[in-house]
Structure formats: structure tokens, C-alpha cells
Amino acid sequence: MLKVLRITMKIQPKITPVLDPGFVPAVLWNKAFEDRAAREPGAHRVDIALTRRDGTCFRWSGKLLPRGGGNEALNNRYVERIVKFLLWQKGGNIILVAGDDSVADMLAATYCKGGAREFDWDFIGRKIYGAPITVKKAAPGELPDEYSGSMTLGRNLDGYRIGFDLGGSDRKCAAVVNGEVVYSEEVVWNPYFQSDPQYHFDGIQDSLERAAAHLPRVDAIGGSSAGVIIDSVVRTSSLFRGVSQEDIEARLGKVFRILQKEKWNGIPFEVVNDGEVTALAGAMSMNDNAVLGVAMGTSEAAGYVDREGHIKPWLNELAFAPVDYSEEGGVDEWSKDMGVGAMYFSQQAVARLAPRAGFDFGDMPFPEQLKKVQAAMAEGDERARRIYETIGVHFGYAIAHYASFYEIRNLLFLGRVASGTGGQLIIDKAEEVLREEFPALKVTLRVPDEQMKRHGQAVAAASLPSLG
């Protein structure tokens, strides 16, 4: 089926999602734009630098259509969607634009208070990097060189270590000796609505002490947690949603650094986002690198390990990264943006597609809707099958889109939506899309093996700090 946007770009995927015929894959839209710009003799270059106050800088360059006429809308859409992806993939709060002042003006009017991307302007800027996003014009020679930082965490297995993972319903913790788990435990907790920061301090310390009791000494501690974590400091996390922002900024956000200093004698202590540790665990389990991990659960979570086997100082919050350029795409209730990953690769995606498939769940909570669809899939219900087929097609095109921004050899697929026969159908349809539409793209889709499910996350977390 032919997709036509009001701004005169025509996209025709080879495979159309059965429950979403209006789907416009971002990867195909961008390619059509780039092919068109390559043919235009009057096309011009734009250079963008996405920077942080610590000196980290990410660069992107592209060709835009000649100025004037109806090209402005196309140029703006192309650049804004690219910048939106980069903001949530790489992270940064200063955007420098060289080569097109009108594009800089558009971004400044979009990423500002009252702008279409006010959520991103505030969340990425103020909550994560301490200052709202700003857009500045620059000459090409003024843009700083790319600098991705030097974080090279993981794969350190020597010594007596503790690895932990903090989730919304339990704390997992393990004692690890030279890469072997000698003790592991899950402790139920309820962090979401706890207003006292001490609840979190006491709970984390309790798990660490339980693991330490099974070791002759503790050489290093590594952990993972939901949220945005930079240099082991929590900038924002769903686990802390009951705590005031003032308490987070004053003390709780530094919980790991405080515990390191006050309770663990300053030993190496590193904590990163749980998606990063999942990707690292997958890389260690597969004995391969260039791994993008995608978990389809309450939302879409992601993590990445580069071709050298390192975790990068990136955000990798693909729940907010655009994957569908349709003007009738799913709208994320939180960010108010359309076509972002959370609406396509999570239990929200199942709930969005359920009415189209013929289910009537009313106001049933999303987790319960997912359980109903999973049960229907197990019974061979064609309505459920169409939901998983649709997600699979979405995912196949999204993987190709992600590959425009990441080097990927392995795609680790997990999460509640990925379980059961429905999860396998998602893989089958995604692989069909990659095979038919992107035959040159060599990405292997994988699911966690039993060893990784049992202890992989704990070992990967424990391996984060270096003893050197």
C-alpha cells in the first residue's frame, strides 16, 4: 500500500503491517529523502554537533534539499527527526548547527518552552544534564570535534565482587568470585511510592551486605538500575518517582557514590542503566560484540555494547526515538510525540493494536491486556496473531533504522512482550522484513540463553568496575 505524506514524500514498504497500513518506516522515509537530496544539484550540507558541558560531542552531517519552495517542510522534518533520535540515543543539551540558519531557527523554536518538543527540552536538558536544551548557530569550522568520552566498563572478572540489579518489584544481588556466581538472591521491595530516600539507601545496602556475607572480602561492586545514570549518579529514575526532586538532587541521586564512600571504603563501585548491563550480559554470553539489546516490557528499554565490547556514555533511551513517520502514528502520552518506540515495542503497543485486532478490553490495565493477548495467542487466536505480526513488521523496519545509528551484529530481544509463541512470531516477521527489504544488512536476532537468564545480568554487573 502506498503511503503519501502531506509534504510530498511517497514511501512504499515491501511488507505492510496488517493492523497498521498507514505505517511509514523512518528508515525508508530517510532513505527516500537522502536519495532525493543526492540528485539535486542545489542541495546543501548541514553539520550538527550535539554537546554536553563535560566536553562530550557527537557529530552528524547530511545533505538538504535546495532552499525555497516546498523543500523547507521536508528539510525540517528530516533534520528534526534525526536530532530527536540523536538526543535520546547519544544525549546532550547543546545543539550547534552549521550550514543552514533556517534549520537552526526551526530547532530552536521546536526544542523550547512551549515548543513541540518541550518535553525533550526539559527532560533531557534540565533533568539529565542540568540545563535546558539550547540551539546555537555556528560556522562549520567552529564545530568541535567528535569526542565520545572514555567509559570502558565491563568484562572485569577478577577478584571478589558483588553484582546487583534494582527493579521495580525486587532487588537482585549476587556474590561473584572470578566470574562464578557463588550466591544470588532476590528480595522483594516496593520503591515506586516511597517518599523517604532512606528506604532506598537501606534496601540497597541490605542486599549488598547479604551478598558480602558470602565472600571473604569485597574487591568491587557493580550494579544496574532503571533510569538515566551518568557516572554512577542517577539523574532520573522511575524507582525514585515517590521521592521529591529536591531530595533526589540533594542526596538520593548520589546514592551509589555515597554508599561507596560511607559503607564500602571507597572500593571500585560502578552502576549503569539496566539496559546497558543486559546488552553487556548478552555480549559476554554470546562471546561477541556490537550488541543492541531491546526489551519490550512496560516501555521499550535498550542498551548497547560497541564492536570493541565497551559500554558507551550514551542514553540509548529508544522509547523516545522515532520509528514511524506517519502523520497518524501512535502518540506517546508522556512526551506527546508521535511515532516513537514506546508506542510500538512495549505492552502499550499491544494495547494500541488490540482494538484494531478485534479485542475489547475497555479500561483494563495494560499488563492485564498483554496477559489476555498472550493467552489468546497460546490458543491459536488469529486476532492475537495479527498483533504480533504487526509488531514484528514494525520491529524489522526499526532494526534497520537503528542500524543507521548503531553498528549492530547482534540484536538481543527480550522482555514480557517477547515471551511465548508471540515473541517468536515477532522475530519471524522482523527477520522477513530484513531479508526482503534489507538483504545487505546482516543482523542476527537472538534471545537470552538459560545461563544468561540465571546469572548473566549479575555477572555482567559485577564485572563493570576495574580493579586497576
Side-chain angles (χ1 to χ4, degrees):
M1 178 176 290
L2 198 64
K3 283 79 176 175
V4 184
L5 295 180
R6 289 198 301 269
I7 47 180
T8 67
M9 286 282 288
K10 299 179 179 181
I11 307 298
Q12 188 171 9
K14 291 183 178 180
I15 301 174
T16 299
V18 62
L19 296 178
D20 193 7
F23 176 57
V24 178
V27 62
L28 297 186
W29 197 98
N30 284 349
K31 184 178 186 305
F33 178 93
E34 290 158 5
D35 289 347
R36 180 167 168 177
R39 295 192 301 267
E40 292 280 358
H44 62 285
R45 173 173 167 149
V46 64
D47 294 285
I48 292 176
L50 176 60
T51 71
R52 308 173 187 170
R53 290 185 294 182
D54 65 1
T56 303
C57 176
F58 306 105
R59 294 286 300 268
W60 175 87
S61 299
K63 274 191 173 181
L64 302 185
L65 298 171
R67 298 175 175 87
N71 289 340
E72 182 178 359
L74 285 168
N75 286 342
N76 286 347
R77 184 164 181 79
Y78 175 67
V79 174
E80 191 279 323
R81 294 286 79 184
I82 292 284
V83 168
K84 169 75 179 237
F85 196 106
L86 292 173
L87 282 168
W88 288 104
Q89 179 207 14
K90 300 288 184 64
N93 65 323
I94 304 167
I95 303 171
L96 305 176
V97 182
D100 195 315
D101 286 353
S102 67
V103 165
D105 292 338
M106 176 275 297
L107 290 173
T110 302
Y111 290 89
C112 66
K113 186 173 181 59
R117 303 290 167 258
E118 180 177 0
F119 171 86
D120 314 81
W121 167 81
D122 178 66
F123 198 100
I124 291 181
R126 183 175 62 85
K127 289 187 176 180
I128 297 178
Y129 296 109
I133 290 173
T134 57
V135 180
K136 301 178 181 179
K137 299 173 184 176
E142 296 174 343
L143 296 182
D145 294 334
E146 174 124 0
Y147 173 65
S148 296
S150 57
M151 184 172 72
T152 55
L153 301 175
R155 297 178 185 267
N156 303 295
L157 300 175
D158 53 324
Y160 298 95
R161 297 169 174 268
I162 294 174
F164 68 88
D165 176 62
L166 304 180
S169 59
D170 59 54
R171 309 185 308 263
K172 300 179 180 68
C173 201
V176 181
V177 178
N178 295 323
E180 296 295 328
V181 174
V182 298
Y183 160 85
S184 64
E185 183 181 26
E186 296 182 12
V187 176
V188 174
W189 74 336
N190 182 29
Y192 285 148
F193 304 107
Q194 303 293 333
S195 60
D196 184 357
Q198 197 61 40
Y199 175 90
H200 299 270
F201 276 91
D202 292 344
I204 297 167
Q205 178 64 8
D206 175 66
S207 286
L208 297 179
E209 289 176 349
R210 287 169 179 260
H214 296 265
L215 296 171
R217 67 176 190 272
V218 179
D219 296 323
I221 298 172
S224 64
S225 173
V228 176
I229 302 171
I230 299 174
D231 192 26
S232 296
V233 174
V234 182
R235 300 302 175 90
T236 181
S237 175
S238 59
L239 301 183
F240 298 168
R241 67 179 68 174
V243 181
S244 70
Q245 188 63 30
E246 291 76 15
D247 282 338
I248 292 174
E249 293 176 1
R251 183 169 169 83
L252 184 56
K254 306 178 187 72
V255 56
F256 306 119
R257 289 299 181 219
I258 291 172
L259 289 175
Q260 176 189 27
K261 179 180 179 182
E262 296 182 359
K263 301 293 185 180
W264 295 96
N265 300 315
I267 64 173
F269 196 134
E270 299 290 348
V271 182
V272 300
N273 173 268
D274 50 5
E276 308 303 327
V277 172
T278 298
L280 178 60
M284 293 169 70
S285 174
M286 293 180 279
N287 196 29
D288 198 2
N289 296 321
V291 178
L292 179 66
V294 175
M296 299 187 189
T298 304
S299 184
E300 179 190 10
Y304 181 64
V305 173
D306 70 10
R307 64 180 173 181
E308 282 80 35
H310 300 311
I311 295 173
K312 308 290 285 185
W314 300 350
L315 292 185
N316 296 317
E317 293 287 345
L318 296 185
F320 297 111
V323 294
D324 179 10
Y325 285 10
S326 168
E327 296 183 357
E328 288 80 39
V331 176
D332 174 39
E333 182 178 1
W334 196 9
S335 68
K336 310 302 181 187
D337 199 0
M338 182 179 291
V340 297
M343 299 305 298
Y344 296 77
F345 310 122
S346 69
Q347 64 186 17
Q348 294 180 74
V350 174
R352 185 173 75 93
L353 296 172
R356 303 184 188 186
F359 290 103
D360 183 7
F361 293 134
D363 295 329
M364 184 184 296
F366 290 168
E368 297 304 313
Q369 291 192 39
L370 175 58
K371 290 179 182 177
K372 291 286 188 182
V373 171
Q374 287 173 328
M377 183 67 192
E379 295 173 358
D381 192 318
E382 185 61 28
R383 296 174 300 172
R385 184 176 183 84
R386 289 198 293 270
I387 290 174
Y388 286 108
E389 285 184 350
T390 298
I391 294 174
V393 174
H394 286 156
F395 197 38
Y397 284 104
I399 292 169
H401 187 49
Y402 296 158
S404 301
F405 298 86
Y406 295 91
E407 180 181 352
I408 311 171
R409 284 200 301 269
N410 304 282
L411 193 293
L412 186 65
F413 177 51
L414 63 164
R416 288 190 294 275
V417 178
S419 63
T421 55
Q424 184 58 51
L425 185 54
I426 291 174
I427 291 176
D428 293 343
K429 294 303 291 186
E431 289 179 335
E432 180 185 353
V433 169
L434 294 174
R435 186 170 58 250
E436 296 296 323
E437 189 90 73
F438 310 99
L441 184 59
K442 303 304 180 185
V443 177
T444 302
L445 274 67
R446 301 176 182 267
V447 296
D449 60 24
E450 288 305 314
Q451 178 64 22
M452 180 185 163
K453 289 178 182 178
R454 286 197 303 271
H455 298 308
Q457 190 94 354
V459 173
S463 80
L464 291 174
S466 170
L467 301 184

